[in-house]
Amino acid sequence: MKRKGIWLGLSLLLVAAMLLASCGTTTTTTTTTTTTAAATTTTTTKTTVTTSTSTTAPVITSSTSTPTTGHWWDKLGTPQYGGTLTLPMAKDPTTWDPYLGTSNPSLCAFFMEQPVANDWTLDPKVYDYTNGYTPPDYCVGFLCTSWEFTDSTTYVLHMKQGIHYQNIPPANSREMTAADIVYHYDRITGLGDGFTKVDPYYSSVAQLQTLTSVTAPDKYTVVFKWKTPNIIGITGLLQSSSIQNSIECPEAVTQWGDLNDWHHAIGSGAFIVKDFVDASGLTVVRNPNYWGYDERYPKNQLPYIDQVTILVIPDQSTCLAALRSGKIDYLDQVSVVDSKNLAKTNPELLQIGLPLGTIYTVDPRNDVKPFSDIKVREALQMAINIPEIASTYYQGAASSLPGTLTTYAMGDWSYQYSDWPQSLKDTYTYNPTAAKKLLADAGYPTGFTTDIVVSNDFDLNLVQVVQSYFAAIGVTMSIRAMDPSSWLSYVLTGHKHDAIAARNQGMLELNYEPDIQIYRFNTNYRVNYTMVSDPNYDALVTQSLTASTTDQYKAVMQKVNQLVAQQHYVISVCQPQLFTVYQPWLKGFSAQNESLSATGSNSALWFFQFGARFWIDSKLKTSLGH
């Protein structure tokens, strides 16, 4: 499998600093849901953080506070200050400014921070953050202390006090206030502060276009107003780790026009950009005046690591060699084959298997024969032996369960496989004899001939495996591969294919916010290339827009997922794992091969939000000859 998003995984490494530090001594989280009988039923979710307003940093020594017994993270060891973390990235960054687009967005994580983050202290047994989307239940304040809906279209953010920009001109360590949050969203949406809709603002997130105003009624309060109610859409947007929520320094924009030069990379983050060389890499160093403290060890000022060196290494084989020799400390998106080889050559390396953010599927057009007949779609599903693909093709590093729209990892947002009736499970169970009977019942006793249009960044060998399964029930499928851009034009937007399509992003369990994911099979959704037109599905989409509480939205999503499973809009193939591999001296990240129970999350996402909280065990590194 190809390496995708290495840059994401590694530069992810630093919003570490950025995302969850509290400037005080204790952090408590409470979630309150309030409903009324009025038409404007509201949901109030608050995360309260006790913070210190002091901006005086403690003296940093070689020792830190001793871990308090009784916490799940005690097994990860005692944090240490100092050391250098070395990471790879696939190519040069192309922008240093959230205003200028999404290319290498995680780069901003080095020096900019966001209002909301995942909970660094949450026991992974409660929620392990394996999904790319984090439900609002498991978000906490980072630049903010709390948030709430005062009505169904008004989202209010309450900022922390004592957050300071880096001590670099023109920011000069001044305190961040609500006006800075307003400026940021005005800038990327053209709503004010001198920015207008004709400016080239960041516009790829459609939900931002329904934002009508952002105001600051006082120094630490921000009010967002929206055209239409959509509590999950609004929270998903404003609590996302995406680039649109990275807060820049207004004075820097005023002075330079934009931040598309690494010298102008200024924010409130735990690291400062020190150097960048094209085709070579970049270096960030510890912000000595950083405002944040470790939520697990509240006396410890962050970050722990002195320096992060990012090396431009486009080739995966070179990255693997650098990992083996100890020249880099971390590599994500590692295939199962490379994972097994590393385990043989370097058993000291620690590995975590994480599910791909989507289930691979093959996607028939539901509006044309023979695929308009659910019997045919069921037959194609029963022709595929998912457990066999998982155990042989992916050497056991894959899930053998079929998928629905929402990943099972999201708990009661999904329709758990354990809750499926046996009759439904049977339609996803390998049974070529039953599949042939279904085809005969549908009027295809000898099968039929079809084709599949595939984006060639998909695993074409896997398509050939599917082709052989289909052939065993009499379905002859030819394969037509296209380059990704041509596929997008021909299939995704043009809908010019006449049978089956597939691409590197399957249709199921894709890590989108629920209010985006739910549209995938909506009749009028422009990229519904499966051409599903189901009034029952459309009714559920409409119902989701009227949900005024998280629980109401969850109930809709459960029904949506059940319908997707029952109707077989697409054919589940498999959800493989990719591996995160890292050196044993990288601490706070995992421990003794405890996998997800130790990391609590998708590794790239943790690096993105919490890199400032990892540390280097220098003695262990030296003892291993590095």
Side-chain angles (χ1 to χ4, degrees):
M1 301 182 66
K2 297 180 179 178
R3 179 168 67 123
K4 298 177 284 290
I6 292 281
W7 163 242
L8 178 63
L10 47 94
S11 52
L12 285 179
L13 187 233
L14 289 296
V15 124
M18 316 181 342
L19 281 166
L20 221 208
S22 68
C23 186
T25 58
T26 62
T27 302
T28 60
T29 303
T30 60
T31 301
T32 304
T33 302
T34 305
T35 59
T36 71
T40 57
T41 301
T42 63
T43 299
T44 302
T45 302
K46 294 185 178 181
T47 302
T48 305
V49 181
T50 303
T51 61
S52 166
T53 57
S54 172
T55 59
T56 303
V59 176
I60 302 302
T61 65
S62 59
S63 63
T64 64
S65 58
T66 301
T68 303
T69 59
H71 295 301
W72 67 267
W73 57 79
D74 291 344
K75 59 192 173 187
L76 302 182
T78 303
Q80 300 176 24
Y81 286 97
T84 296
L85 180 66
T86 304
L87 304 169
M89 67 179 173
K91 59 183 178 180
D92 282 340
T94 57
T95 179
W96 303 77
D97 190 342
Y99 178 70
L100 298 175
T102 59
S103 178
N104 293 335
S106 54
L107 181 63
C108 292
F110 291 114
F111 51 92
M112 293 184 188
E113 299 180 306
Q114 302 187 355
V116 176
N118 294 345
D119 186 351
W120 182 238
T121 66
L122 184 67
D123 190 331
K125 293 179 181 178
V126 177
Y127 187 77
D128 64 9
Y129 297 97
T130 54
N131 187 38
Y133 167 74
T134 300
D137 322 49
Y138 303 110
C139 290
V140 295
F142 186 64
L143 294 178
C144 72
T145 60
S146 63
W147 58 87
E148 60 194 352
F149 281 92
T150 55
D151 61 54
S152 57
T153 60
T154 306
Y155 179 96
V156 180
L157 195 72
H158 302 282
M159 288 192 63
K160 289 180 182 178
Q161 300 181 33
I163 297 171
H164 288 258
Y165 284 107
Q166 295 165 344
N167 192 17
I168 303 172
N172 298 320
S173 196
R174 77 162 176 85
E175 185 182 18
M176 179 186 289
T177 68
D180 299 309
I181 307 294
V182 172
Y183 180 92
H184 168 75
Y185 288 100
D186 278 349
R187 184 177 181 231
I188 65 173
T189 60
L191 287 174
D193 276 304
F195 301 101
T196 69
K197 292 289 186 180
V198 299
D199 292 315
Y201 57 94
Y202 179 82
S203 58
S204 68
V205 178
Q207 299 99 311
L208 282 174
Q209 307 315 306
T210 65
L211 180 65
T212 59
S213 68
V214 188
T215 57
D218 60 53
K219 190 175 182 180
Y220 300 109
T221 304
V222 184
V223 178
F224 297 81
K225 292 289 293 184
W226 303 80
K227 291 179 183 177
T228 55
N230 185 348
I231 63 166
I232 297 301
I234 293 170
T235 55
L237 176 68
L238 295 181
Q239 297 176 10
S240 165
S241 58
S242 298
I243 191 173
Q244 76 265 7
N245 295 319
S246 298
I247 308 302
E248 71 275 65
C249 174
E251 289 89 343
V253 177
T254 299
Q255 179 164 330
W256 292 301
D258 62 45
L259 308 178
N260 203 28
D261 182 317
W262 69 268
H263 297 88
H264 307 157
I266 301 172
S268 60
F271 293 91
I272 296 171
V273 182
K274 179 182 179 181
D275 191 30
F276 168 67
V277 178
D278 287 336
S280 177
L282 65 117
T283 301
V284 298
V285 296
R286 186 180 189 278
N287 176 6
N289 300 309
Y290 183 55
W291 61 273
Y293 290 74
D294 189 341
E295 299 75 30
R296 297 176 183 172
Y297 307 100
K299 295 181 180 180
N300 291 356
Q301 186 198 26
L302 297 170
Y304 294 119
I305 294 171
D306 283 341
Q307 177 174 301
V308 181
T309 300
I310 311 288
L311 303 176
V312 175
I313 309 177
D315 181 66
Q316 175 75 335
S317 62
T318 305
C319 284
L320 291 168
L323 187 68
R324 287 190 176 97
S325 63
K327 293 180 180 178
I328 61 174
D329 298 320
Y330 162 92
L331 185 63
D332 69 356
Q333 306 286 318
V334 176
S335 72
V336 60
V337 173
D338 288 333
S339 166
K340 289 182 180 297
N341 287 336
L342 286 169
K344 294 176 182 178
T345 61
N346 294 75
E348 77 282 3
L349 292 172
L350 303 178
Q351 300 198 23
I352 300 172
L354 294 170
L356 192 69
T358 180
I359 286 181
Y360 285 149
T361 61
V362 293
D363 312 322
R365 284 188 64 139
N366 283 228
D367 64 333
V368 297
K369 292 182 178 181
F371 311 109
S372 54
D373 190 331
I374 190 174
K375 292 187 182 70
V376 172
R377 301 196 301 272
E378 286 183 352
L380 294 179
Q381 184 65 70
M382 295 170 74
I384 296 176
N385 191 334
I386 299 176
E388 184 176 65
I389 294 174
S391 63
T392 58
Y393 188 80
Y394 288 111
Q395 303 181 49
S399 170
S400 60
L401 296 180
T404 59
L405 192 67
T406 305
T407 173
Y408 301 128
M410 286 181 64
D412 55 1
W413 289 80
S414 188
Y415 179 43
Q416 295 296 311
Y417 184 77
S418 58
D419 295 332
W420 291 19
Q422 188 59 48
S423 58
L424 180 58
K425 291 180 179 178
D426 289 344
T427 65
Y428 286 85
T429 301
Y430 177 62
N431 191 336
T433 300
K436 290 178 181 178
K437 184 178 185 306
L438 282 169
L439 288 181
D441 291 345
Y444 304 95
T446 59
F448 57 87
T449 299
T450 188
D451 65 82
I452 184 169
V453 182
V454 185
S455 174
N456 61 19
D457 58 355
F458 192 75
D459 185 345
L460 296 181
N461 290 328
L462 181 60
V463 178
Q464 291 175 350
V465 171
V466 173
Q467 182 186 47
S468 66
Y469 280 128
F470 286 173
I473 63 167
V475 176
T476 301
M477 182 179 72
S478 61
I479 300 172
R480 178 184 177 190
M482 289 185 172
D483 67 84
S485 61
S486 297
W487 189 97
L488 291 173
S489 175
Y490 187 78
V491 177
L492 188 67
T493 58
H495 303 165
K496 296 178 182 178
H497 61 300
D498 59 5
I500 307 174
R503 63 167 174 161
N504 212 37
Q505 278 186 348
M507 291 289 285
L508 302 178
E509 297 202 7
L510 192 60
N511 285 333
Y512 285 155
E513 293 86 349
D515 71 303
I516 297 175
Q517 184 77 332
I518 197 173
Y519 279 94
R520 297 186 73 77
F521 300 114
N522 184 242
T523 297
N524 297 316
Y525 188 45
R526 63 183 180 85
V527 293
N528 173 14
Y529 64 86
T530 53
M531 306 304 288
V532 172
S533 183
D534 185 338
N536 294 319
Y537 191 95
D538 295 344
L540 288 170
V541 173
T542 300
Q543 187 178 339
S544 74
L545 298 175
T546 64
S548 57
T549 69
T550 299
D551 286 342
Q552 289 178 10
Y553 205 101
K554 287 180 181 179
V556 174
M557 289 303 297
Q558 289 170 12
K559 294 177 181 178
V560 165
N561 282 294
Q562 185 173 8
L563 187 62
V564 169
Q566 292 170 340
Q567 294 301 311
H568 295 269
Y569 297 138
V570 297
I571 314 303
S572 289
V573 178
C574 205
Q575 184 178 34
Q577 290 181 336
L578 294 176
F579 290 81
T580 292
V581 186
Y582 57 102
Q583 303 291 352
W585 54 76
L586 176 56
K587 297 293 186 178
F589 180 62
S590 185
Q592 290 75 49
N593 291 314
E594 291 188 67
S595 190
L596 296 177
S597 66
T599 65
S601 180
N602 176 301
S603 63
L605 183 60
W606 276 123
F607 264 134
F608 181 67
Q609 295 188 332
F610 302 112
R613 292 153 182 78
F614 301 136
W615 68 90
I616 300 295
D617 186 333
S618 56
K619 290 184 178 179
L620 177 59
K621 185 175 181 178
T622 300
S623 71
L624 293 174
H626 296 282

